[in-house]
Amino acid sequence: MESKQIIGKNIRYFRDKLGLSQNELAYYLNIKRELISYYENGKRYIPVTALNKLANLFGVELDELLEEDKKIQNVNLAFAFRSDYLKPSDLENIASFKRVVLNYLKMQKLNK
């Protein structure tokens, strides 16, 4: 499978697991909703800057967006935020918080 298809499937997977719509993701990335659909269907490559923002929002490392093993991905969703009442502006704060948590976990791993 081509990398853009793997990334697209993973974007859809994480988005669905977190209960986010394509519209919410598009607002967060400041792009049109249709572009999210193209990314998820593997029809377009997604810029690295957008991949970084999505990795932060999903609470995963960037390379996990290329991961095909769902078991590995499920572990990282353990501390995911899920809410039906998130405002689009809340996504920036959630992504920042998840980045802090991931950095903390990396530091803990290094200290062992």
Side-chain angles (χ1 to χ4, degrees):
M1 188 180 301
E2 216 177 308
S3 65
K4 66 181 176 181
Q5 293 168 323
I6 294 168
I7 292 169
K9 285 178 68 174
N10 287 335
I11 290 170
R12 179 181 295 153
Y13 174 76
F14 285 119
R15 180 179 61 76
D16 287 344
K17 287 292 185 181
L18 296 177
L20 298 172
S21 68
Q22 285 185 344
N23 282 329
E24 290 170 317
L25 224 54
Y27 180 86
Y28 173 67
L29 294 175
N30 198 29
I31 59 175
K32 293 184 179 183
R33 190 219 43 91
E34 292 81 9
L35 202 47
I36 297 295
S37 180
Y38 288 138
Y39 295 153
E40 288 184 352
N41 290 313
K43 294 182 179 179
R44 296 233 178 126
Y45 284 102
I46 183 168
V48 173
T49 53
L51 284 173
N52 279 319
K53 284 188 79 170
L54 289 175
N56 288 339
L57 178 62
F58 297 150
V60 299
E61 295 294 331
L62 185 59
D63 63 333
E64 291 178 63
L65 291 175
L66 282 166
E67 181 61 57
E68 292 187 82
D69 187 349
K70 296 292 183 226
K71 290 178 188 173
I72 293 171
Q73 292 171 337
N74 284 330
V75 169
N76 293 311
L77 288 172
F79 67 94
F81 285 89
R82 291 175 183 85
S83 174
D84 294 332
Y85 304 106
L86 285 177
K87 295 181 283 185
S89 59
D90 293 334
L91 297 179
E92 287 289 340
N93 293 327
I94 290 169
S96 295
F97 174 75
K98 287 183 176 183
R99 176 60 30 213
V100 169
V101 170
L102 280 175
N103 287 337
Y104 173 78
L105 293 173
K106 282 183 188 177
M107 288 174 27
Q108 290 298 316
K109 196 181 229 182
L110 290 173
N111 287 331
K112 288 185 179 185

